[in-house]
Amino acid sequence: MISILFVCHGNICRSPMAEFVMKNLVQKADINDIFIDSKATSREEIGNPPHHQTISKLKQNNIPFTSHKSSQITPQDYDKFDYILCMDEANIANSLRIFKNDPQNKIKLLLEFAGKKSNIADPYYTGDFDKTYDDILLGCSALLEHLKQI
């Protein structure tokens, strides 16, 4: 079983969007041995559902989703997940602060799988859920191709 954790600041926009996009891609590819979750680096939104525009974007693209409440990463998550995929450099820095280090090189930017060393902008601040969705789809599609090769 491969386990993937998507990480963003509040776990209400980017990381749950990535979680459900990836679950949909994996389901369509008929792959059953991948566990996917998402969490935050901050405590600001703990217990809150995804942002209403995140839900709207998922619905607009026919991406199924389930009930989700924001939660924060813990030091124990490092051992639970094979991939810890952050939406931006600040998420990486905050993940490293919580995990203390990354001896197994699990922490990466999601877009690295698409050959880009770039951040996925936070639509909570930009308001551009379309661009965020496009970047997440690009990263998740490239991640799926990577997983098919291992």
Side-chain angles (χ1 to χ4, degrees):
M1 172 83 61
I2 295 171
S3 55
I4 301 166
L5 181 65
F6 292 105
V7 178
C8 71
H9 182 76
N11 190 221
I12 62 167
C13 295
R14 296 172 291 174
S15 61
M17 186 183 290
E19 173 187 347
F20 295 121
V21 165
M22 190 67 187
K23 284 179 175 177
N24 188 55
L25 291 172
V26 165
Q27 188 268 329
K28 285 182 175 180
D30 198 29
I31 301 171
N32 299 313
D33 57 349
I34 298 178
F35 176 76
I36 303 162
D37 200 1
S38 65
K39 294 191 179 186
T41 58
S42 78
R43 300 183 53 78
E44 294 168 29
E45 298 287 349
I46 288 181
N48 289 335
H51 190 282
H52 69 278
Q53 286 182 275
T54 296
I55 297 298
S56 293
K57 195 70 194 162
L58 293 171
K59 286 180 179 178
Q60 178 186 348
N61 288 283
N62 299 312
I63 306 290
F65 57 91
T66 56
S67 177
H68 172 85
K69 291 187 185 217
S70 175
S71 62
Q72 185 183 32
I73 58 173
T74 66
Q76 294 76 25
D77 287 324
Y78 190 84
D79 292 328
K80 290 180 188 175
F81 292 93
D82 300 306
Y83 294 88
I84 300 169
L85 304 176
C86 297
M87 300 299 129
D88 63 37
E89 293 286 347
N91 303 147
I92 288 179
N94 289 329
S95 294
L96 288 169
R97 179 181 48 79
I98 292 168
F99 295 136
K100 305 294 183 224
N101 59 28
D102 183 19
Q104 297 175 15
N105 196 31
K106 296 179 178 186
I107 303 171
K108 300 183 181 326
L109 289 172
L110 174 57
L111 285 176
E112 285 184 48
F113 289 93
K116 297 181 173 189
K117 183 87 171 162
S118 52
N119 295 329
I120 295 175
D122 191 341
Y124 187 85
Y125 299 104
T126 67
D128 193 348
F129 283 79
D130 293 332
K131 172 74 169 127
T132 297
Y133 176 82
D134 291 345
D135 285 345
I136 285 173
L137 182 59
L138 176 68
C140 287
S141 296
L143 173 61
L144 180 61
E145 290 309 309
H146 166 79
L147 295 174
K148 287 178 180 178
Q149 295 174 17
I150 58 172

